[in-house]
Amino acid sequence: MKIRPSIRLYFLIAMLVTGVGSISVMTVSAVNYFFSGMDIAMTGFLRSQAMEIPLGENNTPRQLDELTIAAHWEDLPQVIQDNIDRNELVPNQLLKKVDGIPVLSPPKFGYFAMKVEDSGKVRYVSISLKHIDDNGDLFHEEVPPFMYIVLTGIGAIVVFAAVLLLVQKKIATPVEQLRGWAKDLDKEQLTQPVPNFHYSELNSLAELIQSSLRSVQESLEREQRFLGYASHELRTPIAVTRTNSELLRKMIMKGISSEKQLAVLDRIERAGFTMTDLTETLLWLNRQEGKSLPSKTVCVGELTKQVESELHYLLQGKSVEVDVSIDETELVLPEGLCRIIITNLIRNAFQHTQNGEVEINQTVSKLSITNRNSDTHTKQDDLGFGLGLELTQRLIAQYGWYYQVSQGAEGWKVEVDFVQIS
């Protein structure tokens, strides 16, 4: 089975290996220092005893329990001579032989010998230690003193592992909480404050996640708005294209004059340009890059009359009178943007007037549209709303034009001024 990479598992193994390795090295070093200290202590003890305790008459060896001091090697106990090689003796250095592994259990015996030279005087000193039962002497069945160092090292490893697991759990819990929060993050939570995950790094990561998802959500909403606006705005030029295409087909089949056919073709071509302008304008609004749309000389009155003519199909089956008043003023404006605004305002008036009149008045840069609905069954609250007006308000706000909507007794009045408010 393949183990999936995990930061938590990697951290745990790395810290355990580092901790166990460090403690093991320190434990082994401590044991080595313990034996080295024992050797130094034994060397100092034998040297001091050899120089301070006098020999017997005629330089006979002195025996103090297991300690023997002699002027000649041959005077040392036979067991020392049998187990210690005289040729290996180095003046003032300890030579020893221990049976067993002292780390695991007390040794069965230990032989220590030393040749001491000081101020031209030579002494041989030895000590023999043997294991005896519980009633005996220097070697007992108890745990050797240095074994406590090993036990301490093992205890330190256990404590280190326990603390490491505790720290990992304390760190892993907020990380799991962050993962759960990020997994369940929805549109509503994107607007709420980020929870506190105890550690500043996790809080920063949570803020970054929320900010990134909020940006994605905003992009998605912009795309959704763009699709909604596009489908809304392109209905009219598509309808014009389809209607005039069918009309052109019939005219060709009936052999109607080419002049009339060209007029229909011009309307189809104009509808295609309109769709292009609408698409570019909607893309500009959706991207919000701060760039202005290309402008050209536009006759606002002629554009208004053209849009009104294209939308006249919305009044079929209704008893609505339309009064259009325009002039020949020309302004430098983004034509696609003006077309969207004018189309939405006129469409909104036509759609929400069932029986009455619509008055369209254009004077210089100002355009006002008033719809009066004489149908008493129509709810006033239903007049003047929709996706079109939402888009209109956004576009006008983007360019800083004057815009006002007012409700009268029988309908609505919308006013637009295509001059930026200073």
Side-chain angles (χ1 to χ4, degrees):
M1 182 179 65
K2 184 179 180 180
I3 300 177
R4 297 177 61 184
S6 170
I7 295 179
R8 181 169 59 182
L9 182 61
Y10 175 81
F11 173 77
L12 180 63
I13 294 176
M15 293 302 296
L16 280 176
V17 170
T18 302
V20 171
S22 300
I23 295 175
S24 299
V25 170
M26 289 188 290
T27 301
V28 172
S29 300
V31 172
N32 288 333
Y33 281 127
F34 174 82
F35 286 114
S36 177
M38 292 290 291
D39 290 344
I40 293 174
M42 181 63 76
T43 300
F45 170 74
L46 294 180
R47 180 181 179 85
S48 63
Q49 295 298 310
M51 294 293 101
E52 294 177 2
I53 298 178
L55 299 177
E57 294 181 1
N58 298 322
N59 288 332
T60 57
R62 291 289 302 272
Q63 185 79 29
L64 299 174
D65 294 329
E66 300 298 329
L67 178 67
T68 301
I69 304 173
H72 305 283
W73 172 258
E74 293 78 8
D75 294 334
L76 294 178
Q78 188 61 40
V79 67
I80 296 295
Q81 298 182 41
D82 293 340
N83 288 277
I84 300 295
D85 187 359
R86 179 181 181 181
N87 296 325
E88 296 180 2
L89 286 174
V90 177
N92 298 319
Q93 290 187 10
L94 180 67
L95 189 62
K96 65 179 180 178
K97 182 178 181 181
V98 179
D99 181 31
I101 303 176
V103 176
L104 302 179
S105 62
K108 295 180 179 179
F109 60 83
Y111 303 112
F112 303 87
M114 185 175 177
K115 179 181 180 180
V116 180
E117 294 182 358
D118 188 20
S119 301
K121 184 167 57 175
V122 178
R123 292 287 186 270
Y124 291 91
V125 58
S126 68
I127 187 170
S128 176
L129 303 176
K130 294 183 179 180
H131 170 71
I132 306 178
D133 57 18
D134 293 339
N135 298 324
D137 49 86
L138 298 176
F139 290 158
H140 301 284
E141 292 292 344
E142 298 177 357
V143 178
F146 44 78
M147 193 62 182
Y148 290 106
I149 300 176
V150 179
L151 295 177
T152 301
I154 296 175
I157 292 175
V158 173
V159 172
F160 177 81
V163 172
L164 180 60
L165 291 174
L166 181 63
V167 171
Q168 185 193 38
K169 182 178 180 181
K170 190 173 181 62
I171 296 176
T173 299
V175 173
E176 292 294 335
Q177 293 174 351
L178 174 60
R179 185 177 68 175
W181 172 80
K183 183 179 179 181
D184 299 333
L185 202 58
D186 54 19
K187 182 178 180 180
E188 181 180 354
Q189 291 179 334
L190 288 176
T191 60
Q192 298 176 356
V194 176
N196 184 9
F197 293 102
H198 190 70
Y199 299 104
S200 59
E201 293 82 1
L202 296 182
N203 290 334
S204 299
L205 180 59
E207 292 175 356
L208 179 61
I209 292 174
Q210 187 186 57
S211 176
S212 300
L213 291 181
R214 187 186 294 121
S215 177
V216 172
Q217 180 66 29
E218 291 174 353
S219 298
L220 179 60
E221 290 177 353
R222 285 198 302 269
E223 295 300 325
Q224 291 175 341
R225 284 196 300 268
F226 171 77
L227 293 175
Y229 292 152
S231 62
H232 182 271
E233 295 302 318
L234 293 176
R235 287 184 301 176
T236 298
I238 290 176
V240 171
T241 302
R242 291 184 59 183
T243 301
N244 285 274
S245 296
E246 294 175 0
L247 179 60
L248 181 59
R249 178 186 296 272
K250 294 178 180 179
M251 294 174 69
I252 293 175
M253 293 177 63
K254 292 181 179 181
I256 298 177
S257 64
S258 58
E259 290 80 6
K260 293 183 178 180
Q261 292 182 24
L262 289 175
V264 174
L265 185 60
D266 287 341
R267 288 197 292 269
I268 296 175
E269 187 178 25
R270 190 164 58 244
F273 289 139
T274 298
M275 284 189 282
T276 301
D277 291 342
L278 289 175
T279 303
E280 292 179 353
T281 302
L282 292 175
L283 287 173
W284 165 79
L285 179 64
N286 188 55
R287 293 169 182 168
Q288 294 181 341
E289 297 176 347
K291 298 179 181 179
S292 299
L293 288 169
S295 300
K296 65 179 181 179
T297 302
V298 178
C299 181
V300 181
E302 181 180 344
L303 180 60
T304 302
K305 184 64 178 178
Q306 179 184 331
V307 171
E308 185 273 335
S309 176
E310 293 174 353
L311 294 175
H312 213 77
Y313 71 93
L314 296 173
L315 300 179
Q316 293 179 2
K318 298 181 181 181
S319 179
V320 177
E321 181 180 350
V322 180
D323 181 18
V324 181
S325 175
I326 59 175
D327 62 22
E328 297 181 356
T329 302
E330 293 184 346
L331 301 172
V332 178
L333 297 170
E335 183 178 9
L337 188 64
C338 295
R339 176 179 290 275
I340 291 179
I341 294 173
I342 296 173
T343 300
N344 278 291
L345 295 179
I346 296 178
R347 180 195 291 124
N348 187 76
F350 284 0
Q351 287 178 337
H352 293 91
T353 306
Q354 303 299 323
N355 187 8
E357 62 177 339
V358 175
E359 181 180 333
I360 303 173
N361 183 19
Q362 178 268 322
T363 305
V364 191
S365 63
K366 296 181 180 180
L367 173 66
S368 67
I369 301 174
T370 306
N371 62 317
R372 299 183 181 89
N373 205 329
S374 58
D375 189 352
T376 57
H377 298 290
T378 303
K379 296 181 180 179
Q380 293 298 315
D381 291 342
D382 292 339
L383 301 178
F385 292 98
L387 183 62
L389 286 188
E390 176 189 334
L391 174 60
T392 300
Q393 292 173 354
R394 289 192 60 193
L395 292 173
I396 290 176
Q398 193 80 6
Y399 254 79
W401 291 335
Y402 173 80
Y403 176 72
Q404 184 178 13
V405 180
S406 57
Q407 184 178 5
E410 298 177 347
W412 293 79
K413 181 178 181 181
V414 181
E415 296 178 282
V416 179
D417 191 342
F418 295 103
V419 176
Q420 287 187 343
I421 302 175
S422 57

